[in-house]
Amino acid sequence: MTDARVVDPDATIDLLQEMVRIPSPYFEEHDLADFVYAWLADRDLAPEYHHVSEPDITGYEGDNVVARLEGNDPDAPTLLLNAHMDTVKLVEDWAEDPCSGRIEDGKLYGQGACDMKGGLAAIMVAFEALAERDLAGDVLFTAVVDEEGPYGLGADRLVRDGYTDDCDAAIVTEPGPVLSQGDDVENPALVLGARGRFLYDITVRGKAAHGSQPEKGVNAVVDAGRVAEALTDIEVGTHPELGDGSVCPLLLDGGSQTLSVPERARLMVDRHVVVGESEADVRADAETAIAALDLESEVDVSFREAPEPDIRYGPYVTDPDHPLVGSLRGAAERVTGVAPAIAYFSSVGDFNYFGERAGLPTVIVGPDGENIHGAGEFVYTDEVVEVADIVVEGASDLLG
Ligand SMILES: [Zn+2]
């Protein structure tokens, strides 16, 4: 270990434990948001609530918590720190209280301990430490709601309300290597990109007829199955860092329980994409594949309904030569004594909003753990502290 120990390890883990003990499944983050707000306010870090409202589809009302450190040079860069406060819904298979925060053998257990209250605790104590330093650039702290929910409404609202407009780079402390591509990556690791994701929502309309005479109708369920198979065969994009895209039919719904040829079916298909594949490409791929089937059913290709048309998880890759990467690389090496691995995320999250929609060079650096989203989720406590130190050292280097 080195001299680059910055945050108080015990205080950091106490904070994490306290937050794991506050349940915060998505759409129910209010208590944790109040806790984060109060924690920052107690330290004179001037938190603000940033309201998130989505009345049309989810009916959700909640609050992000944001705070800003002003640097002394308006021309210096501004760094966004981001973590989400919500977890998945508590799963039922836990052999103990899913919010126990129990610590054993350096592992802290609880739903969301790794994804991502560990990362949230890390940026909170990092932000507190950065407030003590005389930096040229600004730091924008953001703890958001609804990352695990359907649309990433908290981060979406940050982007939509202009919080990212004056930012120059972003650090997101999501779980690191455990959610990265490749099995051999270990912390310290800098995750420099992620694939994007679209969800096809496809309607198939056939023609009803008596089920004893199927030749007189057009069977929408059969045709939806053909569409599912054709989409699975789409030639997906490939990228040197992000790997291959993928297609996975998720849902096929339709038919009747009476003796009728089903006239309607609905198909939802997940499509992960790499840099270079646009929404228009993704739509055209499906339409071309479906046209080639020459079905009797009418098939309508659209995307999952979203509160706003520009809510999308686009793919991005951060330039490994960007100053943020250099600063974090040096910081990781000073803190851990090891040069960090470079990795790429396997799925999507709020980081796609920062990396692609807001166009910010975005790096994920986060503590590792296991059983993410499941029973027995835990985070390695020493990695939470390490990540906090890396964020402080990396941010200090970048912001001068
Ligand atoms: Zn997460």
Side-chain angles (χ1 to χ4, degrees):
M1 282 305 138
T2 66
D3 52 0
R5 282 279 145 186
V6 184
V7 304
D8 178 341
D10 293 338
T12 303
I13 301 311
D14 286 349
L15 170 64
L16 168 59
Q17 191 174 49
E18 219 171 328
M19 293 199 293
V20 168
R21 288 174 175 167
I22 302 170
S24 61
Y26 66 89
F27 295 161
E28 299 171 59
E29 308 93 340
H30 304 86
D31 291 347
L32 186 59
D34 288 347
F35 175 89
V36 172
Y37 182 99
W39 189 93
L40 293 164
D42 282 348
R43 288 155 182 79
D44 294 324
L45 294 170
E48 288 174 22
Y49 288 114
H50 170 232
H51 192 60
V52 179
S53 170
E54 198 292 292
D56 297 334
I57 299 175
T58 61
Y60 178 66
E61 303 288 333
D63 292 285
N64 297 328
V65 179
V66 300
R68 181 181 280 270
L69 298 174
E70 301 270 0
N72 56 37
D73 176 359
D75 295 329
T78 293
L79 176 65
L80 176 78
L81 301 181
N82 174 264
H84 61 81
M85 296 184 284
D86 61 311
T87 70
V88 292
K89 300 292 179 195
L90 305 184
V91 301
E92 286 177 9
D93 295 346
W94 280 84
E96 63 183 315
D97 174 4
C99 300
S100 75
R102 179 173 63 86
I103 301 174
E104 194 178 321
D105 296 336
K107 301 167 185 172
L108 189 148
Y109 290 83
Q111 202 81 72
C114 191
D115 188 6
M116 60 176 287
K117 292 182 180 180
L120 175 62
I123 63 163
M124 288 166 73
V125 298
F127 190 71
E128 181 186 24
L130 288 166
E132 300 296 318
R133 300 194 172 189
D134 191 25
L135 302 176
D138 289 10
V139 182
L140 178 62
F141 169 95
T142 60
V144 299
V145 294
D146 182 39
E147 198 273 349
E148 303 288 3
Y151 303 110
L153 295 173
D156 170 70
R157 187 53 60 182
L158 284 182
V159 175
R160 204 168 293 287
D161 288 350
Y163 279 83
T164 51
D165 289 357
D166 74 332
C167 292
D168 298 285
I171 295 175
V172 181
T173 48
E174 283 274 13
V178 65
L179 292 181
S180 294
Q181 301 178 22
D183 297 332
D184 48 354
V185 184
E186 284 180 10
N187 263 334
L190 306 178
V191 179
L192 300 190
R195 299 190 299 172
R197 179 195 194 218
F198 293 95
L199 194 58
Y200 292 118
D201 190 349
I202 295 170
T203 308
V204 180
R205 282 184 204 85
K207 188 173 149 234
H210 195 279
S212 67
Q213 299 172 310
E215 71 283 359
K216 292 191 174 170
V218 176
N219 193 315
V221 167
V222 171
D223 281 353
R226 291 189 178 123
V227 170
E229 190 170 17
L231 295 189
T232 309
D233 291 339
I234 283 177
E235 200 172 316
V236 294
T238 183
H239 185 274
E241 275 87 34
L242 298 178
D244 297 335
S246 58
V247 181
C248 181
L250 300 177
L251 174 143
L252 202 170
D253 184 33
S256 79
Q257 305 215 30
T258 59
L259 195 55
S260 297
V261 174
E263 64 175 339
R264 208 175 234 278
R266 180 179 182 215
L267 178 65
M268 293 186 86
V269 179
D270 173 273
R271 169 102 185 255
H272 274 71
V273 298
V274 297
V275 171
E277 295 179 292
S278 70
E279 182 174 331
D281 296 335
V282 167
R283 182 190 289 273
D285 286 347
E287 286 172 348
T288 304
I290 291 163
L293 293 173
D294 201 18
L295 299 173
E296 281 187 78
S297 292
E298 244 180 76
V299 183
D300 174 54
V301 177
S302 60
F303 293 105
R304 172 180 69 160
E305 184 192 19
E308 303 276 355
D310 59 346
I311 285 198
R312 63 164 189 274
Y313 290 112
Y316 72 96
V317 169
T318 295
D319 179 356
D321 294 326
H322 188 273
L324 172 64
V325 181
S327 293
L328 287 172
R329 202 192 292 269
E333 207 162 335
R334 287 197 301 282
V335 169
T336 67
V338 180
I342 297 296
Y344 296 87
F345 218 72
S346 59
S347 191
V348 298
D350 285 348
F351 37 84
N352 292 83
Y353 289 168
F354 305 127
E356 196 265 350
R357 251 173 86 189
L360 300 179
T362 298
V363 177
I364 300 169
V365 54
D368 232 343
E370 288 292 342
N371 305 325
I372 296 192
H373 291 191
E377 178 173 349
F378 69 81
V379 66
Y380 293 107
T381 55
D382 58 347
E383 292 195 10
V384 174
V385 177
E386 261 172 27
V387 165
D389 286 349
I390 291 169
V391 170
V392 175
E393 290 293 300
S396 300
D397 186 65
L398 181 75
L399 303 177

